[in-house]
Amino acid sequence: MPKIDVYNIEGKKVSDVELKEEVFGIEPNEAIVHSVLVNYLANQRQGTQSTKTRAEVSGGGRKPWRQKGTGRARQGSIRAPHWVGGGIALGPKPRSYKYRVNKKERRLAIRSVLSSKVLENKITVLDNINLSEIKTKNMVNALESLKITGKTLIMLPEKNENIQKSARNIEGVKTSLVNTINVYDLLKYNNLVITLEAVKKIEEVYA
């Protein structure tokens, strides 16, 4: 079982905790992580792009000139795709990019990324994280005490307005709840700050 230090919000070590091997100690499966990440990004796409076909653009109701005798090529409409201002042939239309990934694959991807964080020492476990008021400076001081720099994801067991609102104006810092955990956020943010309670909840779900 991986063993990791537990700190308080002042950055002092208070204890250590053994993380479950099946969640935080597996060999990362990069292929599955990539597959689940691509699925997540595809599902975020709006798919609202659209172009007009020759049937949808305005004008072109009559034949521009007679069929024969002009010396020019025959034309049926000035809204054909090869005309300026004409319709678009085979252009994009609104569509959904969503598709499903096997639930076991999603869970394996989460466990793989969490295990990578442990291997790279990019995970910081706190005994608790409570702020008495909504103040960005307090959160900045807490991260400085923990010697955390760069993009950071703070994982909370449940909604906490003081923490979420204190962190939202800090560049490169995001708060997230255990029940909204996803591969994209775990990969995007180098550091993971997580409370003991959140660790237990993750182990309950993913073990």
Side-chain angles (χ1 to χ4, degrees):
M1 282 189 176
K3 204 170 192 179
I4 193 166
D5 295 336
V6 179
Y7 298 89
N8 61 20
I9 202 166
E10 284 83 33
K12 297 175 182 175
K13 180 182 173 181
V14 292
S15 63
D16 50 49
V17 62
E18 284 192 348
L19 304 174
K20 284 193 176 180
E21 187 83 27
E22 54 267 45
V23 180
F24 293 94
I26 69 169
E27 184 177 342
N29 188 322
E30 292 184 9
I32 291 294
V33 171
H34 177 263
S35 174
V36 173
L37 177 62
V38 170
N39 169 252
Y40 176 87
L41 293 173
N43 290 346
Q44 302 308 303
R45 296 184 68 175
Q46 288 186 315
T48 53
Q49 74 280 32
S50 183
T51 53
K52 290 183 177 181
T53 65
R54 61 184 294 169
E56 295 167 321
V57 291
S58 60
R62 62 183 285 253
K63 194 173 173 63
W65 52 77
R66 59 197 175 96
Q67 181 82 345
K68 293 178 177 291
T70 65
R72 290 179 288 185
R74 55 194 174 187
Q75 302 292 332
S77 169
I78 62 170
R79 291 299 173 246
H82 61 280
W83 282 76
V84 174
I88 302 297
L90 307 176
K93 284 291 185 182
R95 54 165 287 198
S96 172
Y97 290 90
K98 292 184 184 297
Y99 68 96
R100 293 177 65 84
V101 167
N102 189 295
K103 185 178 178 181
K104 287 184 178 178
E105 290 182 334
R106 288 202 307 271
R107 292 165 66 91
L108 175 57
I110 294 288
R111 298 202 307 269
S112 293
V113 180
L114 290 173
S115 298
S116 294
K117 295 285 186 193
V118 174
L119 288 171
E120 296 166 5
N121 294 319
K122 295 293 186 182
I123 185 168
T124 303
V125 179
L126 300 180
D127 60 343
N128 205 345
I129 179 168
N130 276 320
L131 298 177
S132 57
E133 58 180 334
I134 299 171
K135 199 166 187 180
T136 303
K137 189 175 181 181
N138 292 347
M139 180 58 72
V140 170
N141 291 339
L143 293 174
E144 285 178 354
S145 300
L146 293 163
K147 295 182 174 62
I148 294 173
T149 57
K151 289 188 173 181
T152 303
L153 180 66
I154 301 171
M155 187 75 66
L156 303 172
E158 56 194 17
K159 190 175 179 181
N160 185 318
E161 270 203 354
N162 284 4
I163 297 169
Q164 289 170 307
K165 289 186 176 181
S166 295
R168 67 184 177 183
N169 283 335
I170 306 174
E171 187 178 358
V173 175
K174 180 182 179 180
T175 56
S176 179
L177 303 181
V178 169
N179 59 3
T180 62
I181 189 171
N182 63 77
V183 168
Y184 177 78
D185 281 343
L186 289 173
L187 289 173
K188 179 180 178 181
Y189 295 89
N190 296 329
N191 306 301
L192 176 63
V193 176
I194 188 168
T195 64
L196 269 176
E197 189 181 346
V199 167
K200 289 173 184 174
K201 283 194 173 185
I202 288 174
E203 288 179 340
E204 283 175 13
V205 174
Y206 292 94

